[in-house]
Amino acid sequence: MRRTIGLLVLALPLGADQLPYQKPPQEILNILNAPALPVLSVNPTHTYATLSQSARYPGIDEVSAPMLRLAGIRIDPKTNGLHLAPFSTAITLVKLPQGTKIAVALPAHARASALHWSANGKMFAFTNTTPLGIELWIGDPSTGKTHQIAGLKLNAVLGDPIEWLPDNRTLLVKAVKEKRGLPPVEARVPKGPTVEESDGKAQGVATFEDMLKDPHDEDLFEYYATAQLVSVDAVAGTAQPIGKPGILDEVSPSPDGKDILITREHRPFSYLHPYREFPKDVDVWTPAGAMAYHVASIPLPANVPIGGVETGPRGIRWMPNQPATLFWVEAMDGGNPREKVPHRDRMVAIQAPFKGEAGEIFKTQERFSGIQFGKDFALISDQGRVTHLLRTFEIDPNKPNEEGKLIWSRNSQDRYKDPGRPVERRAGGRGAFAGGFGRGGGESLLLQSGSDILLQGEGSSEKGDHPFLDRFNLETKQTERIFECPPDKYETVEAVLDDQAKSFITRRESATEPPNYYLHVNGKETALTEYKDPAPVVRKITKQLVTYKRADGVELSMELYLPPDYKPGTRLPAVMWAYPREYDDASIAGQVTGSPNRFTTITGYSELFFLLDGYAVLDNAAMPVVGSIEVVNNTYVDQVVADAKAAIDKAAEMGVIDPNRVGVGGHSYGAFMTANLLAHSTLFRAGIAESGAYNRTLTPFGFQSERRTFWEAKDTYERMSPFFFADKIKDPILLIHGEADDNSGTFPIQSDRMYQAIRGNKGTVRLVFLPDEAHGYRAKETIEHVLWEKFRWFDKYVKNAPAQSTGAERN
């Protein structure tokens, strides 16, 4: 029996068979099948909140439906959208501030997208995916009534196909090209070989999944990605094509609605790069589809150094505080992070009617990392590659190259000193939110009152996270606390409804209270939802935030969970679940994350399900790898072993675990960690490794924070690769991998080869390939089976393992 995975054919091991999907115990299924709580968003005028209900898990029939894996995306050929695109099955509007609930009249068997609101909040649009295509629907929030725009099928292959114009009645949508004919058919007889060639100037490329592999793939991608831009009158229900069809990636109207920024990919395509890196033209069109300005022709980034950027324009966007001004960023160091230059990037801009050359606005000493706009200013940030120094400056885009005012400066990894994220109001979108500086701007304005802006943050400290909302004055740099999470709750600000934060919505939960939304107005609060506990048995689980130290003094933390009805003094079998992260500062590496006041919700194939099988769980156990970014991985193995030992020692010292019965697990880079811990220590009785990469020579141009190539750091790549130490893995390991993994570097062949290596060296190992699953597992049947596999493995090799003394690290 053979199984095809991407371009590789993997032979199932001798004696292997295709098991029917198995199920965990009913107690687990009851929790697994608990309904998901609706998600809240707010419209731009803050007159309505939206509560969207989604199905938690698709069935394996949906996950295994035909898809095309092309250019880094997965296309549903029946709908001309993305495979397994998220959707809502029910949407409820909440009128603000009254709290009146209005059900949105969705079509039967709805698979609705998020709502797209007109700027005045009086209409909304959404897509509905059917077996025959993607429809466009318009709604009236005052009644919840909706209607379909007939005769139109949307193309959602390259992202969101809907944009409102500022006139509050016109939509720009990407539609399936009319009369495009049938999909290209692959020739039965090849026309010739598939050829790739390099001119000796290219740089290394990451190992992306789902790339184009032959001319037929190119034809298929062009067929499904080509869209026709259409102007839709939402009131009259009419549609008018704009311009010629093309591979339309981004479509963005200017703030005044008089111009449209268009990004179109074109041939020649690449077999090594995803579609977003294909050659492209960026242009400004008139509303009628005529060319108004050619911004740039951007080539394939074949010569970008590792960790670098392209040399031409990047991040091309509209300034949201100007009627029609484009800005973008250009590298001043050739895109090479190792070049020593006074300035790495510069921001340039050009106003409509786009005459002459773009003018320089500001230069950054380090790499540009994002920008946000206020009414008459901008906050621009740069970040050092090696130092992680993140600085934010206030600038006036109308005063080119004027020195910026430094607002904040900190290590980007330092959670304790994070001042918070400036809160934005998204035009035509989902209300005010805390934007990230990496967003690039162009769609949102900061909420601003005079010189005051608002900041939302996690409030991280030695006591855990306590989210907050602050008022910050840009002139004085003084901060005023508006809201802070109570000490016995976990409460986050979900939406700010005015520029002075007199009204806002929070999401509140505690260890015993499920998440619910609350409207705060002038110090008074009103409950918007009253959701009940979907799984009361989980409330018997106890959780605490535990701090401890590594042998070398690095501060660490973990979330310690104990099962229902735990009796103090009982030493339990334990599961440690973790994910390594790199830091350049030991004091930052040890910062506490998380909160003991979160409402424990167990979903998917979470390790927390082990609590219902009598285990203690050491969750999110800190796994810092500390050192300079250039050489941090040189001591990776020693550090993760020390991290793991410290966690086990602390839990054993507390008297809650049996240190001789501990299993370890992780997903992706956590799976890589798991295999390394089994290869280089005797701390664990068994391991579970999900969707990992175990041979770093197969990701030779870098991984995670590693920016050296294999040829520059051979010893490190080999020393970090558990595949090279498969003969040392004698504790049982369960390898799980999605057959259709879509994550860079974690090709299924990694688990297949690791299995063969351990097996051939007389190790105890089991390999489970999950049909049609990606890097994360989605299907209900798959999730149930994965839980069954995990329980079975650790019950046999950890919980019921014979006693043994803790051994020393292997040499």
Side-chain angles (χ1 to χ4, degrees):
M1 179 179 179
R2 299 175 70 82
R3 178 180 288 117
T4 301
I5 300 179
L7 300 179
L8 301 167
V9 178
L10 306 184
L12 284 177
L14 186 64
D17 196 6
Q18 189 165 25
L19 273 178
Y21 287 107
Q22 302 294 309
K23 292 180 181 290
Q26 187 61 46
E27 181 184 22
I28 304 300
L29 293 175
N30 293 340
I31 297 172
L32 188 67
N33 296 329
L37 296 179
V39 176
L40 179 139
S41 61
V42 177
N43 75 340
T45 55
H46 308 141
T47 50
Y48 293 94
T50 301
L51 294 171
S52 301
Q53 180 73 58
S54 61
R56 179 154 275 172
Y57 313 112
I60 189 62
D61 56 337
E62 186 173 349
V63 171
S64 62
M67 66 173 171
L68 299 173
R69 301 167 63 174
L70 302 170
I73 53 177
R74 298 184 168 186
I75 300 171
D76 184 334
K78 290 186 177 180
T79 67
N80 220 105
L82 294 178
H83 178 66
L84 295 180
F87 63 89
S88 296
T89 56
I91 300 176
T92 301
L93 301 178
V94 182
K95 189 172 178 59
L96 300 175
Q98 297 89 338
T100 308
K101 290 184 170 62
I102 304 167
V104 175
L106 298 179
H109 312 294
R111 289 172 170 258
S113 71
L115 302 189
H116 296 68
W117 290 85
S118 61
N120 63 6
K122 294 183 178 181
M123 281 194 289
F124 58 82
F126 63 93
T127 66
N128 180 52
T129 301
T130 75
L132 299 178
I134 301 174
E135 305 166 341
L136 176 63
W137 286 69
I138 307 296
D140 177 355
S142 65
T143 63
K145 293 181 179 180
T146 63
H147 65 274
Q148 182 185 354
I149 301 295
L152 198 61
K153 287 290 188 290
L154 302 192
N155 187 330
V157 165
L158 300 187
D160 200 333
I162 300 176
E163 286 282 351
W164 280 95
L165 289 182
D167 65 4
N168 295 305
R169 69 177 287 164
T170 307
L171 289 156
L172 295 179
V173 302
K174 291 189 282 188
V176 173
K177 176 184 173 184
E178 288 189 1
K179 300 179 181 179
R180 64 176 177 176
L182 296 175
V185 177
E186 185 170 15
R188 187 186 67 80
V189 178
K191 295 181 180 179
T194 299
V195 177
E196 297 181 59
E197 183 177 356
S198 180
D199 61 4
K201 300 177 183 178
Q203 297 281 348
V205 180
T207 50
F208 295 111
E209 302 264 18
D210 298 345
M211 296 297 96
L212 302 179
K213 61 182 183 296
D214 56 38
H216 179 61
D217 274 0
E218 295 186 55
D219 293 341
L220 283 172
F221 173 74
E222 187 170 44
Y223 176 86
Y224 285 103
T226 296
Q228 172 67 60
L229 188 62
V230 175
S231 172
V232 176
D233 187 320
V235 177
T238 57
Q240 180 66 39
I242 299 175
K244 295 181 179 180
I247 302 176
L248 305 178
D249 186 357
E250 297 185 21
V251 176
S252 175
S254 60
D256 64 5
K258 296 179 180 179
D259 295 287
I260 307 170
L261 182 65
I262 302 287
T263 300
R264 295 176 296 169
E265 272 78 13
H266 60 77
R267 292 176 183 262
F269 302 144
S270 170
Y271 292 3
L272 297 177
H273 297 256
Y275 85 91
R276 284 196 177 276
E277 297 181 2
F278 287 174
K280 57 181 63 69
D281 289 322
V282 184
D283 301 302
V284 175
W285 288 4
T286 69
M291 173 80 74
Y293 175 62
H294 176 63
V295 183
S297 292
I298 301 174
L300 186 79
N303 300 318
V304 174
I306 294 175
V309 298
E310 58 266 34
T311 55
R314 67 182 198 273
I316 304 169
R317 295 288 186 273
W318 296 109
M319 285 190 186
N321 59 359
Q322 300 287 335
T325 297
L326 285 173
F327 76 95
W328 60 85
V329 177
E330 297 176 349
M332 302 183 71
D333 59 358
N336 189 345
R338 298 185 180 183
E339 287 290 327
K340 294 182 178 181
V341 294
H343 297 95
R344 295 213 173 273
D345 281 326
R346 68 172 191 155
M347 172 185 170
V348 300
I350 186 169
Q351 295 180 343
F354 313 111
K355 303 297 183 183
E357 297 294 324
E360 186 174 280
I361 301 297
F362 189 76
K363 294 193 288 285
T364 61
Q365 291 183 5
E366 297 294 345
R367 186 69 69 213
F368 168 86
S369 63
I371 190 168
Q372 292 176 286
F373 289 90
K375 297 173 184 176
D376 53 3
F377 70 94
L379 297 178
I380 187 169
S381 295
D382 67 357
Q383 181 171 333
R385 182 181 69 94
V386 175
T387 64
H388 294 288
L389 180 64
L390 175 65
R391 302 181 304 166
T392 301
F393 297 89
E394 179 186 0
I395 66 169
D396 184 346
N398 294 315
K399 297 179 180 179
N401 282 321
E402 183 177 76
E403 184 177 356
K405 177 183 178 181
L406 181 64
I407 302 298
W408 299 295
S409 178
R410 68 178 179 93
N411 187 311
S412 63
Q413 295 181 318
D414 191 342
R415 291 167 51 86
Y416 291 178
K417 293 182 179 178
D418 186 352
R421 300 176 298 279
V423 179
E424 298 174 329
R425 181 200 302 271
R426 177 180 287 274
R430 306 176 190 175
F433 64 99
F437 281 105
R439 294 186 58 82
E443 297 180 347
S444 314
L445 280 175
L446 293 171
L447 284 180
Q448 175 187 351
S449 178
S451 297
D452 290 339
I453 62 173
L454 302 171
L455 305 176
Q456 178 187 342
E458 289 296 325
S460 301
S461 70
E462 294 87 349
K463 297 180 180 180
D465 294 344
H466 290 83
F468 66 84
L469 178 67
D470 282 351
R471 181 178 292 111
F472 180 81
N473 187 279
L474 290 167
E475 291 185 0
T476 66
K477 298 185 183 180
Q478 296 300 305
T479 300
E480 176 188 356
R481 181 67 35 103
I482 298 171
F483 168 84
E484 185 172 18
C485 169
D488 60 340
K489 311 285 185 185
Y490 183 80
E491 190 167 7
T492 59
V493 175
E494 295 295 300
V496 182
L497 307 183
D498 66 275
D499 55 16
Q500 297 185 47
K502 292 182 179 179
S503 57
F504 52 90
I505 296 174
T506 63
R507 182 180 187 270
R508 180 189 303 162
E509 61 187 278
S510 73
T512 58
E513 301 171 12
N516 275 290
Y517 295 100
Y518 295 84
L519 174 64
H520 300 251
V521 180
N522 294 322
K524 297 181 180 180
E525 70 175 45
T526 303
L528 296 177
T529 60
E530 297 180 348
Y531 301 131
K532 306 301 181 184
D533 188 344
V537 67
V538 176
R539 266 6 87 210
K540 296 181 180 181
I541 292 169
T542 60
K543 171 187 175 182
Q544 65 183 111
L545 197 58
V546 178
T547 58
Y548 50 101
K549 289 185 179 182
R550 203 165 73 178
D552 60 0
V554 174
E555 297 278 354
L556 303 174
S557 66
M558 64 180 168
E559 295 171 342
L560 173 63
Y561 289 85
L562 297 175
D565 303 319
Y566 170 73
K567 295 180 180 179
T570 305
R571 290 189 178 273
L572 301 172
V575 174
M576 188 184 80
W577 206 268
Y579 190 97
R581 301 184 189 279
E582 300 86 358
Y583 298 87
D584 60 0
D585 187 322
S587 64
I588 293 174
Q591 290 184 347
V592 174
T593 62
S595 168
N597 299 318
R598 299 298 300 268
F599 182 79
T600 300
T601 302
I602 311 179
T603 61
Y605 43 98
S606 169
E607 62 277 8
L608 297 183
F609 276 115
F610 279 111
L611 292 160
L612 302 177
D613 195 28
Y615 292 82
V617 176
L618 317 183
D619 203 33
N620 296 320
M623 284 281 165
V625 182
V626 184
S628 166
I629 190 173
E630 302 289 355
V631 295
V632 64
N633 283 326
N634 289 2
T635 56
Y636 170 90
V637 170
D638 293 338
Q639 291 199 54
V640 295
V641 170
D643 293 331
K645 186 176 187 304
I648 293 173
D649 288 349
K650 179 61 179 179
E653 176 191 311
M654 295 172 67
V656 296
I657 72 163
D658 177 354
N660 294 317
R661 292 188 296 157
V662 182
V664 62
H667 189 89
S668 194
Y669 205 49
F672 175 72
M673 169 208 73
T674 297
N676 266 309
L677 287 172
L678 295 184
H680 297 286
S681 80
T682 56
L683 296 169
F684 302 97
R685 301 305 299 272
I688 298 174
E690 301 170 351
S691 300
Y694 310 103
N695 183 349
R696 284 300 165 193
T697 68
L698 299 181
T699 56
F701 294 104
F703 55 91
Q704 299 295 112
S705 68
E706 182 60 66
R707 291 297 175 262
R708 296 170 294 179
T709 71
F710 166 72
W711 298 275
E712 294 171 323
K714 285 184 179 180
D715 289 345
T716 297
Y717 272 69
E718 292 173 358
R719 191 163 53 248
M720 287 183 71
S721 297
F723 178 82
F724 284 81
F725 300 91
D727 60 326
K728 304 296 185 184
I729 299 178
K730 299 305 178 185
D731 297 308
I733 184 170
L734 170 63
L735 303 173
I736 303 175
H737 216 120
E739 282 186 350
D741 195 310
D742 57 350
N743 183 59
S744 176
T746 53
F747 289 88
I749 189 68
Q750 290 270 7
S751 287
D752 179 77
R753 294 294 91 191
M754 191 65 180
Y755 170 83
Q756 298 291 354
I758 297 172
R759 175 183 175 275
N761 281 285
K762 297 181 171 59
T764 301
V765 59
R766 179 177 173 89
L767 172 61
V768 179
F769 272 126
L770 304 172
D772 300 302
E773 293 288 356
H775 192 61
Y777 319 140
R778 299 281 301 275
K780 183 175 184 293
E781 294 86 346
T782 297
I783 290 168
E784 292 172 350
H785 185 88
V786 168
L787 290 172
W788 178 82
E789 290 278 0
K790 290 163 73 167
F791 286 147
R792 179 176 173 273
W793 195 254
F794 274 178
D795 281 356
K796 180 177 181 179
Y797 293 112
V798 176
K799 179 191 285 188
N800 299 312
Q804 71 172 23
S805 59
T806 302
E809 295 174 19
R810 292 188 180 121
N811 294 323

